[in-house]
PDB file of all heavy atoms in Angstrom:
ATOM      1  N   PHE L 162      -5.299  13.501  10.766  1.00 97.00           N
ATOM      2  CA  PHE L 162      -5.565  14.228  12.072  1.00 97.00           C
ATOM      3  C   PHE L 162      -5.075  13.422  13.282  1.00 97.00           C
ATOM      4  O   PHE L 162      -4.417  13.987  14.185  1.00 97.00           O
ATOM      5  CB  PHE L 162      -7.111  14.471  12.285  1.00 97.00           C
ATOM      6  CG  PHE L 162      -7.420  15.286  13.498  1.00 97.00           C
ATOM      7  CD1 PHE L 162      -6.993  16.577  13.598  1.00 97.00           C
ATOM      8  CD2 PHE L 162      -8.138  14.709  14.556  1.00 97.00           C
ATOM      9  CE1 PHE L 162      -7.247  17.390  14.716  1.00 97.00           C
ATOM     10  CE2 PHE L 162      -8.355  15.499  15.679  1.00 97.00           C
ATOM     11  CZ  PHE L 162      -7.932  16.777  15.800  1.00 97.00           C
ATOM     12  N   THR L 163      -5.314  12.088  13.312  1.00 97.00           N
ATOM     13  CA  THR L 163      -4.746  11.251  14.397  1.00 97.00           C
ATOM     14  C   THR L 163      -3.261  11.299  14.452  1.00 97.00           C
ATOM     15  O   THR L 163      -2.616  11.331  15.510  1.00 97.00           O
ATOM     16  CB  THR L 163      -5.232   9.840  14.203  1.00 97.00           C
ATOM     17  OG1 THR L 163      -6.704   9.823  14.203  1.00 97.00           O
ATOM     18  CG2 THR L 163      -4.766   8.937  15.316  1.00 97.00           C
ATOM     19  N   PHE L 174      -5.547  20.662  17.956  1.00 94.00           N
ATOM     20  CA  PHE L 174      -6.964  20.943  18.073  1.00 94.00           C
ATOM     21  C   PHE L 174      -7.252  22.481  18.008  1.00 94.00           C
ATOM     22  O   PHE L 174      -8.169  22.910  17.308  1.00 94.00           O
ATOM     23  CB  PHE L 174      -7.542  20.408  19.428  1.00 94.00           C
ATOM     24  CG  PHE L 174      -7.731  18.893  19.436  1.00 94.00           C
ATOM     25  CD1 PHE L 174      -6.759  18.104  19.930  1.00 94.00           C
ATOM     26  CD2 PHE L 174      -8.903  18.305  18.956  1.00 94.00           C
ATOM     27  CE1 PHE L 174      -6.881  16.741  19.946  1.00 94.00           C
ATOM     28  CE2 PHE L 174      -9.043  16.941  18.942  1.00 94.00           C
ATOM     29  CZ  PHE L 174      -8.044  16.192  19.438  1.00 94.00           C
ATOM     30  N   GLU L 217      -8.512   6.759  11.736  1.00 97.00           N
ATOM     31  CA  GLU L 217      -8.731   8.156  12.139  1.00 97.00           C
ATOM     32  C   GLU L 217      -9.320   8.192  13.518  1.00 97.00           C
ATOM     33  O   GLU L 217     -10.494   8.573  13.751  1.00 97.00           O
ATOM     34  CB  GLU L 217      -9.674   8.905  11.070  1.00 97.00           C
ATOM     35  CG  GLU L 217      -9.567  10.408  11.242  1.00 97.00           C
ATOM     36  CD  GLU L 217      -8.157  11.022  11.059  1.00 97.00           C
ATOM     37  OE1 GLU L 217      -7.517  11.094  12.159  1.00 97.00           O
ATOM     38  OE2 GLU L 217      -7.710  11.380   9.999  1.00 97.00           O
ATOM     39  N   CYS L 218      -8.581   7.747  14.505  1.00 93.00           N
ATOM     40  CA  CYS L 218      -9.081   7.503  15.825  1.00 93.00           C
ATOM     41  C   CYS L 218      -9.518   8.793  16.522  1.00 93.00           C
ATOM     42  O   CYS L 218     -10.420   8.713  17.370  1.00 93.00           O
ATOM     43  CB  CYS L 218      -8.072   6.788  16.625  1.00 93.00           C
ATOM     44  SG  CYS L 218      -7.334   5.327  15.886  1.00 93.00           S
ATOM     45  N   SER L 219      -8.892   9.933  16.232  1.00 92.00           N
ATOM     46  CA  SER L 219      -9.146  11.141  16.932  1.00 92.00           C
ATOM     47  C   SER L 219     -10.228  11.985  16.197  1.00 92.00           C
ATOM     48  O   SER L 219     -10.666  13.042  16.663  1.00 92.00           O
ATOM     49  CB  SER L 219      -7.893  12.009  16.960  1.00 92.00           C
ATOM     50  OG  SER L 219      -6.864  11.344  17.702  1.00 92.00           O
ATOM     51  N   GLY L 220     -10.677  11.461  14.991  1.00 92.00           N
ATOM     52  CA  GLY L 220     -11.578  12.289  14.187  1.00 92.00           C
ATOM     53  C   GLY L 220     -12.877  12.568  14.802  1.00 92.00           C
ATOM     54  O   GLY L 220     -13.530  13.649  14.565  1.00 92.00           O
ATOM     55  N   CYS L 221     -13.375  11.693  15.704  1.00 93.00           N
ATOM     56  CA  CYS L 221     -14.706  11.895  16.320  1.00 93.00           C
ATOM     57  C   CYS L 221     -14.731  13.054  17.278  1.00 93.00           C
ATOM     58  O   CYS L 221     -15.711  13.468  17.757  1.00 93.00           O
ATOM     59  CB  CYS L 221     -15.196  10.603  16.962  1.00 93.00           C
ATOM     60  SG  CYS L 221     -14.096   9.961  18.231  1.00 93.00           S
ATOM     61  N   MET L 222     -13.561  13.566  17.558  1.00 93.00           N
ATOM     62  CA  MET L 222     -13.469  14.728  18.537  1.00 93.00           C
ATOM     63  C   MET L 222     -13.518  16.057  17.887  1.00 93.00           C
ATOM     64  O   MET L 222     -13.426  17.101  18.574  1.00 93.00           O
ATOM     65  CB  MET L 222     -12.158  14.603  19.315  1.00 93.00           C
ATOM     66  CG  MET L 222     -12.134  13.367  20.245  1.00 93.00           C
ATOM     67  SD  MET L 222     -10.752  13.351  21.399  1.00 93.00           S
ATOM     68  CE  MET L 222      -9.437  12.799  20.369  1.00 93.00           C
ATOM     69  N   ILE L 223     -13.705  16.098  16.537  1.00 95.00           N
ATOM     70  CA  ILE L 223     -13.887  17.378  15.859  1.00 95.00           C
ATOM     71  C   ILE L 223     -15.263  17.359  15.157  1.00 95.00           C
ATOM     72  O   ILE L 223     -15.887  16.360  15.046  1.00 95.00           O
ATOM     73  CB  ILE L 223     -12.762  17.751  14.859  1.00 95.00           C
ATOM     74  CG1 ILE L 223     -12.660  16.610  13.798  1.00 95.00           C
ATOM     75  CG2 ILE L 223     -11.431  17.818  15.633  1.00 95.00           C
ATOM     76  CD1 ILE L 223     -11.619  16.929  12.685  1.00 95.00           C
ATOM     77  N   SER L 224     -15.656  18.560  14.669  1.00 96.00           N
ATOM     78  CA  SER L 224     -16.940  18.658  14.062  1.00 96.00           C
ATOM     79  C   SER L 224     -16.938  18.098  12.649  1.00 96.00           C
ATOM     80  O   SER L 224     -15.918  17.942  12.042  1.00 96.00           O
ATOM     81  CB  SER L 224     -17.355  20.116  14.007  1.00 96.00           C
ATOM     82  OG  SER L 224     -16.552  20.806  13.046  1.00 96.00           O
ATOM     83  N   GLY L 225     -18.175  17.843  12.129  1.00 97.00           N
ATOM     84  CA  GLY L 225     -18.303  17.347  10.782  1.00 97.00           C
ATOM     85  C   GLY L 225     -17.685  18.331   9.777  1.00 97.00           C
ATOM     86  O   GLY L 225     -16.951  17.918   8.831  1.00 97.00           O
ATOM     87  N   PHE L 228     -13.914  18.118   9.875  1.00 97.00           N
ATOM     88  CA  PHE L 228     -13.506  16.883   9.352  1.00 97.00           C
ATOM     89  C   PHE L 228     -13.567  16.899   7.769  1.00 97.00           C
ATOM     90  O   PHE L 228     -12.563  16.457   7.135  1.00 97.00           O
ATOM     91  CB  PHE L 228     -14.394  15.694   9.881  1.00 97.00           C
ATOM     92  CG  PHE L 228     -13.842  14.323   9.529  1.00 97.00           C
ATOM     93  CD1 PHE L 228     -13.155  13.647  10.604  1.00 97.00           C
ATOM     94  CD2 PHE L 228     -14.089  13.734   8.394  1.00 97.00           C
ATOM     95  CE1 PHE L 228     -12.679  12.357  10.327  1.00 97.00           C
ATOM     96  CE2 PHE L 228     -13.596  12.472   8.118  1.00 97.00           C
ATOM     97  CZ  PHE L 228     -12.875  11.758   9.106  1.00 97.00           C
ATOM     98  N   HIS L 249     -11.676   3.839   9.817  1.00 98.00           N
ATOM     99  CA  HIS L 249     -11.985   3.581  11.150  1.00 98.00           C
ATOM    100  C   HIS L 249     -12.150   4.889  11.900  1.00 98.00           C
ATOM    101  O   HIS L 249     -11.293   5.800  11.829  1.00 98.00           O
ATOM    102  CB  HIS L 249     -10.816   2.786  11.834  1.00 98.00           C
ATOM    103  CG  HIS L 249     -10.825   2.758  13.314  1.00 98.00           C
ATOM    104  ND1 HIS L 249     -11.725   1.957  13.968  1.00 98.00           N
ATOM    105  CD2 HIS L 249     -10.134   3.392  14.248  1.00 98.00           C
ATOM    106  CE1 HIS L 249     -11.581   2.088  15.252  1.00 98.00           C
ATOM    107  NE2 HIS L 249     -10.536   2.983  15.486  1.00 98.00           N
ATOM    108  N   SER L 250     -13.259   4.973  12.658  1.00 97.00           N
ATOM    109  CA  SER L 250     -13.439   6.166  13.562  1.00 97.00           C
ATOM    110  C   SER L 250     -13.924   5.639  14.950  1.00 97.00           C
ATOM    111  O   SER L 250     -14.944   4.977  15.017  1.00 97.00           O
ATOM    112  CB  SER L 250     -14.577   7.062  12.936  1.00 97.00           C
ATOM    113  OG  SER L 250     -14.863   8.129  13.777  1.00 97.00           O
ATOM    114  N   CYS L 251     -13.172   6.011  15.935  1.00 91.00           N
ATOM    115  CA  CYS L 251     -13.543   5.574  17.273  1.00 91.00           C
ATOM    116  C   CYS L 251     -14.675   6.416  17.804  1.00 91.00           C
ATOM    117  O   CYS L 251     -14.896   7.559  17.358  1.00 91.00           O
ATOM    118  CB  CYS L 251     -12.313   5.781  18.225  1.00 91.00           C
ATOM    119  SG  CYS L 251     -10.897   4.761  17.871  1.00 91.00           S
ATOM    120  N   GLY L 252     -15.381   5.934  18.760  1.00 89.00           N
ATOM    121  CA  GLY L 252     -16.401   6.682  19.466  1.00 89.00           C
ATOM    122  C   GLY L 252     -17.610   6.990  18.581  1.00 89.00           C
ATOM    123  O   GLY L 252     -17.798   6.443  17.491  1.00 89.00           O
ATOM    124  N   GLY L 253     -18.435   7.837  19.089  1.00 94.00           N
ATOM    125  CA  GLY L 253     -19.673   8.241  18.313  1.00 94.00           C
ATOM    126  C   GLY L 253     -19.309   9.036  17.136  1.00 94.00           C
ATOM    127  O   GLY L 253     -18.671  10.065  17.254  1.00 94.00           O
ATOM    128  N   SER L 254     -19.862   8.596  16.021  1.00 97.00           N
ATOM    129  CA  SER L 254     -19.461   9.301  14.764  1.00 97.00           C
ATOM    130  C   SER L 254     -20.661   9.716  13.972  1.00 97.00           C
ATOM    131  O   SER L 254     -20.583  10.031  12.724  1.00 97.00           O
ATOM    132  CB  SER L 254     -18.618   8.297  13.878  1.00 97.00           C
ATOM    133  OG  SER L 254     -17.459   7.928  14.598  1.00 97.00           O
ATOM    134  N   ASP L 255     -21.824   9.829  14.567  1.00 98.00           N
ATOM    135  CA  ASP L 255     -23.012  10.215  13.826  1.00 98.00           C
ATOM    136  C   ASP L 255     -22.810  11.617  13.153  1.00 98.00           C
ATOM    137  O   ASP L 255     -23.250  11.763  11.972  1.00 98.00           O
ATOM    138  CB  ASP L 255     -24.176  10.332  14.713  1.00 98.00           C
ATOM    139  CG  ASP L 255     -24.746   8.966  15.190  1.00 98.00           C
ATOM    140  OD1 ASP L 255     -24.182   7.992  14.719  1.00 98.00           O
ATOM    141  OD2 ASP L 255     -25.623   8.958  16.004  1.00 98.00           O
ATOM    142  N   HIS L 256     -22.055  12.471  13.852  1.00 98.00           N
ATOM    143  CA  HIS L 256     -21.855  13.847  13.225  1.00 98.00           C
ATOM    144  C   HIS L 256     -20.945  13.905  12.145  1.00 98.00           C
ATOM    145  O   HIS L 256     -20.793  14.908  11.378  1.00 98.00           O
ATOM    146  CB  HIS L 256     -21.435  14.803  14.423  1.00 98.00           C
ATOM    147  CG  HIS L 256     -20.088  14.487  14.908  1.00 98.00           C
ATOM    148  ND1 HIS L 256     -19.823  13.272  15.561  1.00 98.00           N
ATOM    149  CD2 HIS L 256     -18.894  15.184  14.955  1.00 98.00           C
ATOM    150  CE1 HIS L 256     -18.543  13.257  15.940  1.00 98.00           C
ATOM    151  NE2 HIS L 256     -17.985  14.397  15.571  1.00 98.00           N
ATOM    152  N   LEU L 257     -20.253  12.738  11.835  1.00 98.00           N
ATOM    153  CA  LEU L 257     -19.259  12.708  10.762  1.00 98.00           C
ATOM    154  C   LEU L 257     -19.788  11.932   9.545  1.00 98.00           C
ATOM    155  O   LEU L 257     -19.028  11.944   8.521  1.00 98.00           O
ATOM    156  CB  LEU L 257     -17.931  12.027  11.312  1.00 98.00           C
ATOM    157  CG  LEU L 257     -17.230  12.653  12.447  1.00 98.00           C
ATOM    158  CD1 LEU L 257     -16.036  11.944  12.845  1.00 98.00           C
ATOM    159  CD2 LEU L 257     -16.839  14.117  12.147  1.00 98.00           C
ATOM    160  N   PHE L 261     -18.141  11.450   5.780  1.00 98.00           N
ATOM    161  CA  PHE L 261     -17.672  10.163   5.256  1.00 98.00           C
ATOM    162  C   PHE L 261     -18.187   9.967   3.819  1.00 98.00           C
ATOM    163  O   PHE L 261     -17.469   9.334   3.062  1.00 98.00           O
ATOM    164  CB  PHE L 261     -18.114   9.040   6.144  1.00 98.00           C
ATOM    165  CG  PHE L 261     -17.490   9.010   7.601  1.00 98.00           C
ATOM    166  CD1 PHE L 261     -17.990   8.088   8.540  1.00 98.00           C
ATOM    167  CD2 PHE L 261     -16.574   9.915   7.902  1.00 98.00           C
ATOM    168  CE1 PHE L 261     -17.441   8.077   9.791  1.00 98.00           C
ATOM    169  CE2 PHE L 261     -15.970   9.845   9.181  1.00 98.00           C
ATOM    170  CZ  PHE L 261     -16.464   8.912  10.106  1.00 98.00           C
ATOM    171  N   GLY L 273     -17.256   3.022  16.105  1.00 96.00           N
ATOM    172  CA  GLY L 273     -17.474   2.850  17.541  1.00 96.00           C
ATOM    173  C   GLY L 273     -18.987   2.616  17.817  1.00 96.00           C
ATOM    174  O   GLY L 273     -19.853   3.008  17.041  1.00 96.00           O
ATOM    175  N   GLU L 275     -21.272   3.661  19.749  1.00 97.00           N
ATOM    176  CA  GLU L 275     -22.176   4.786  20.025  1.00 97.00           C
ATOM    177  C   GLU L 275     -22.776   5.274  18.673  1.00 97.00           C
ATOM    178  O   GLU L 275     -23.761   6.030  18.688  1.00 97.00           O
ATOM    179  CB  GLU L 275     -21.480   5.992  20.669  1.00 97.00           C
ATOM    180  CG  GLU L 275     -20.824   5.656  21.997  1.00 97.00           C
ATOM    181  CD  GLU L 275     -19.375   5.370  21.852  1.00 97.00           C
ATOM    182  OE1 GLU L 275     -18.926   4.937  20.767  1.00 97.00           O
ATOM    183  OE2 GLU L 275     -18.620   5.537  22.816  1.00 97.00           O
ATOM    184  N   THR L 276     -22.214   4.917  17.554  1.00 98.00           N
ATOM    185  CA  THR L 276     -22.732   5.358  16.259  1.00 98.00           C
ATOM    186  C   THR L 276     -23.995   4.632  15.879  1.00 98.00           C
ATOM    187  O   THR L 276     -24.157   3.414  16.112  1.00 98.00           O
ATOM    188  CB  THR L 276     -21.638   5.088  15.174  1.00 98.00           C
ATOM    189  OG1 THR L 276     -20.444   5.686  15.610  1.00 98.00           O
ATOM    190  CG2 THR L 276     -22.069   5.666  13.841  1.00 98.00           C
TER     191      THR L 276
END
Side-chain angles (χ1 to χ4, degrees):
F162 185 66
T163 301
F174 286 92
E217 196 56 272
C218 309
S219 303
C221 59
M222 293 189 282
I223 61 175
S224 70
F228 192 98
H249 168 73
S250 179
C251 295
S254 300
D255 288 356
H256 65 297
L257 301 179
F261 294 171
E275 301 95 334
T276 306

